[in-house]
Amino acid sequence: MKSIDLAVAEVRELNQALHDQASECLEREWEVLNPKGQHNLAVGIDQNLSVEVRGHAGYFCAGMNKKAHITVHGNAGQGVAENMMSGTVRIKGDASQAAGATAQGGLLVIEGNAGARCGISMKGVDIVVKGSVGHMSCFMGQSGRLVVCGDAGEALGDSLYEVRIYVKGEVKSLGADCIAKEMRPEHLEELAELLNRAGIDEDPAQFKRYGSARQLYNFKVDNVSAY
Amino acid sequence: MCGIVGLYLKNPALESRLGELFEPMLIAMTDRGPDSAGFAIYGDEVGEGWTKLTLRHPQASFDWAGLAARMQADLGVELDWFQNANVSVFKVSSDEASLRAYLSEQAPSVLILSVGQSIEILKEVGLPEQIAETFQLRKMKGSHIIGHTRMATESAVTMEGSHPFSTGMDLCLVHNGSLSNHNRLRENLKREGIRFETENDSEVAAGYLTWRLRQGDSLQTALEHALQDLDGFFTFTIGTRNGFAVMRDPIACKPAVLAETEDYVAMASEYQALTTLPGIENAKVWEPEPATFYIWERDA
């Protein structure tokens, strides 16, 4: 395992060393020491690496990740795994706002709580949160799945496209065009598979499903007088 | 963008190290606010019937000793004072109204930065590191302290426009964010008799709290009203005589992190500012919820 101590090295050196593995992978296992809340840790990786961040991370940790498996042993700041393409990002603590924003693929697991706007404009990523999520989560979510084992804040799934949302606890309020939907066998199966991949022991039958009512997709001529 | 930091000691044994613990927190927020910085420190409290003022004069050579002597003679008060750079702290056996009246008449060029029994506000234009050095922050003692590093967006970079803003006896406010209804609100508050030194939006938030508290609100009720009446983005940290409070607006796009151990409660815009605190590795660290008050106060 290659260890980079950020008490000594710069974040740029860390990220460059990780990027260098894209063309020819010489080291699969990485460890980041003393992250101390610095921003942009382990961003833009394009290789099947394993990265352990030992401590709290700042903003945009694991952004744009491709293929790598990144674990933060602490909390993560705003925009963790934003625009992730593939791979796995796991946060052992809490994540701040906009976790998994615009992410297109892969799996984001948050073992604590996520702040506001979790999964905002997500485009294919799967997000599993063991705790609760804040307000406006999954705003304009386009595709992928969001699983919340705790509660969801106000305006969940506002202006939702095609993300399937599963929540076990209370939903404070649903956003515009987001509705509760029937949990069919294929959804129980899909949820069981997501929980299993995230390594979280929950009963899929305890969850409710939410999705788009698809009423905002097209302009309604009846509303023309409003403009 | 701006940076906010606060440190409230639960363990009195650390009070002699307050400045030393706080200085790196303030400096760590330089990248969020490099144009001005300031802090409000609480400690060295004066007794009943006494008032502590932090006074500033634009000229470093201002004759503070002369002012102190005149005040003693004219008002017939006991007075103790010390100078720190171009700021002086006056401790006077008198009340706020008499002292304000005296200073506005006899020394109109002196600016009152804070009034209370415990608070001292120190702030300047410049890098946080320089300001910490100017006021010898690391040597300061006290029970709690809040600070601000500014990146101006809504008004000019001046000492007057930098934070913290005094909001009444032993109260002050630091703000990260921007208010969108500050012009209208300032006009309304002026009619209520609140005075403003600048065009700054955060000063309006401070003035608003001063007004609410004058109406008889508790701090908590004043903050509840602020949530209704202030339009914009904010994370506020409010220093009180016995502690501090943190509040974020309902949209909560301005960051805040809290950390608590048996020894202290700390607040910062980013976790980076907390990494030098003792025992932070094992502290409880969390993000404050939107539109929720967090208040820590020791028993008076």
Side-chain angles (χ1 to χ4, degrees):
Chain A
M1 180 181 282
K2 171 100 173 154
S3 189
I4 294 193
D5 186 350
L6 292 178
V8 191
E10 297 283 327
V11 173
R12 275 172 193 268
E13 293 171 48
L14 164 71
N15 286 330
Q16 190 60 56
L18 295 169
H19 297 170
D20 289 345
Q21 307 304 311
S23 49
E24 187 189 4
C25 186
L26 300 171
E27 179 64 60
R28 292 236 176 251
E29 295 191 356
W30 295 74
E31 180 181 53
V32 181
L33 302 176
N34 292 306
K36 299 202 167 177
Q38 291 195 75
H39 303 323
N40 310 318
L41 300 176
V43 296
I45 300 177
D46 187 2
Q47 185 55 276
N48 182 12
L49 308 177
S50 149
V51 182
E52 308 287 322
V53 179
R54 307 264 176 214
H56 301 308
Y59 297 176
F60 309 123
C61 178
M64 302 175 282
N65 182 48
K66 248 184 183 171
K67 304 178 200 161
H69 302 276
I70 301 168
T71 302
V72 177
H73 297 266
N75 298 336
Q78 300 181 10
V80 64
E82 55 125 20
N83 215 61
M84 171 159 65
M85 304 303 285
S86 62
T88 311
V89 174
R90 180 179 291 271
I91 310 302
K92 292 282 191 182
D94 297 338
S96 182
Q97 65 168 324
T102 73
Q104 309 204 23
L107 174 68
L108 169 62
V109 181
I110 296 158
E111 296 192 0
N113 300 312
R117 296 170 272 268
C118 177
I120 183 170
S121 197
M122 54 192 274
K123 296 179 172 72
V125 68
D126 291 322
I127 303 177
V128 181
V129 182
K130 201 169 174 182
S132 299
V133 297
H135 64 264
M136 295 297 278
S137 284
C138 220
F139 176 55
M140 295 188 83
Q142 287 147 58
S143 67
R145 283 83 53 98
L146 171 66
V147 179
V148 182
C149 303
D151 303 329
E154 287 173 344
L156 176 70
D158 193 281
S159 309
L160 195 64
Y161 291 86
E162 290 302 313
V163 177
R164 288 192 290 284
I165 305 175
Y166 299 98
V167 183
K168 185 183 172 199
E170 298 284 310
V171 174
K172 200 160 185 192
S173 65
L174 292 173
D177 211 30
C178 182
I179 54 169
K181 291 189 168 182
E182 182 196 0
M183 201 68 161
R184 295 195 298 267
E186 68 262 35
H187 301 120
L188 288 168
E189 196 179 315
E190 166 176 86
L191 179 55
E193 186 261 340
L194 281 166
L195 289 165
N196 191 30
R197 272 171 61 207
I200 290 171
D201 184 20
E202 292 280 2
D203 175 11
Q206 304 287 312
F207 286 72
K208 289 197 177 100
R209 179 169 73 103
Y210 303 88
S212 176
R214 302 188 179 104
Q215 295 300 303
L216 293 177
Y217 275 34
N218 305 99
F219 182 71
K220 294 200 170 44
V221 75
D222 296 349
N223 295 336
V224 74
S225 62
Y227 295 90
Chain B
M1 202 143 77
C2 288
I4 302 181
V5 277
L7 180 62
Y8 163 81
L9 299 177
K10 298 197 307 197
N11 178 1
L14 288 172
E15 289 190 0
S16 61
R17 293 179 56 204
L18 183 68
E20 173 200 332
L21 293 171
F22 184 74
E23 183 175 343
M25 295 174 65
L26 190 73
I27 293 172
M29 288 292 93
T30 301
D31 56 354
R32 292 188 67 90
D35 69 49
S36 347
F39 51 90
I41 185 163
Y42 293 79
D44 184 23
E45 196 163 304
V46 297
E48 270 314 300
W50 285 66
T51 304
K52 184 170 165 186
L53 305 166
T54 320
L55 304 174
R56 184 185 186 276
H57 195 276
Q59 284 160 355
S61 59
F62 181 74
D63 180 14
W64 293 107
L67 176 65
R70 286 205 306 282
M71 258 175 116
Q72 268 176 307
D74 295 346
L75 294 172
V77 293
E78 289 180 69
L79 191 153
D80 189 15
W81 70 281
F82 63 87
Q83 187 172 351
N84 187 349
N86 57 352
V87 166
S88 276
V89 175
F90 275 44
K91 302 171 192 173
V92 196
S93 64
S94 183
D95 61 276
E96 180 187 5
S98 318
L99 294 170
R100 278 192 186 274
Y102 181 84
L103 286 168
S104 67
E105 204 164 288
Q106 301 296 324
S109 53
V110 167
L111 184 70
I112 302 174
L113 293 178
S114 72
V115 184
Q117 290 190 288
S118 176
I119 189 172
E120 291 168 31
I121 291 181
L122 300 156
K123 54 184 185 179
E124 279 298 335
V125 170
L127 284 169
E129 190 175 6
Q130 288 164 3
I131 288 149
E133 185 62 32
T134 301
F135 294 118
Q136 293 287 297
L137 169 59
R138 77 182 74 90
K139 292 181 185 162
M140 291 189 176
K141 298 167 187 167
S143 52
H144 55 292
I145 183 166
I146 67 174
H148 186 270
T149 61
R150 182 168 187 233
M151 187 183 284
T153 56
E154 302 288 302
S155 64
V157 177
T158 59
M159 188 286 299
E160 290 83 355
S162 61
H163 305 224
F165 289 102
S166 169
T167 59
M169 285 285 279
D170 280 319
L171 278 173
C172 71
L173 168 129
V174 294
H175 172 210
N176 171 205
S178 56
L179 301 179
S180 40
N181 64 340
H182 64 100
N183 281 327
R184 171 71 58 83
L185 207 51
R186 189 186 294 107
E187 293 313 309
N188 293 345
L189 289 168
K190 276 181 182 169
R191 281 196 287 278
E192 298 286 341
I194 305 288
R195 285 188 318 124
F196 292 95
E197 309 276 346
T198 69
E199 294 298 304
N200 184 289
D201 58 330
S202 312
E203 191 187 12
V204 174
Y208 178 85
L209 288 182
T210 308
W211 173 64
R212 289 301 331 174
L213 294 162
R214 263 188 213 169
Q215 304 295 305
D217 281 8
S218 67
L219 179 60
Q220 176 136 353
T221 320
L223 290 173
E224 279 165 15
H225 280 117
L227 272 180
Q228 298 300 317
D229 290 343
L230 300 179
D231 184 17
F233 300 121
F234 52 86
T235 293
F236 290 138
T237 296
I238 293 132
T240 72
R241 187 173 162 192
N242 298 318
F244 72 65
V246 174
M247 184 175 79
R248 299 172 81 198
D249 70 79
I251 295 165
C253 66
K254 291 298 171 188
V257 177
L258 292 167
E260 185 164 13
T261 70
E262 287 188 355
D263 289 333
Y264 57 80
V265 177
M267 182 274 166
S269 296
E270 295 178 22
Y271 175 75
Q272 288 184 65
L274 305 177
T275 55
T276 49
L277 288 170
I280 190 71
E281 304 77 17
N282 301 313
K284 178 189 168 200
V285 176
W286 78 103
E287 183 173 292
E289 298 275 326
T292 305
F293 321 104
Y294 295 81
I295 300 182
W296 285 271
E297 289 203 308
R298 55 178 71 185
D299 299 330

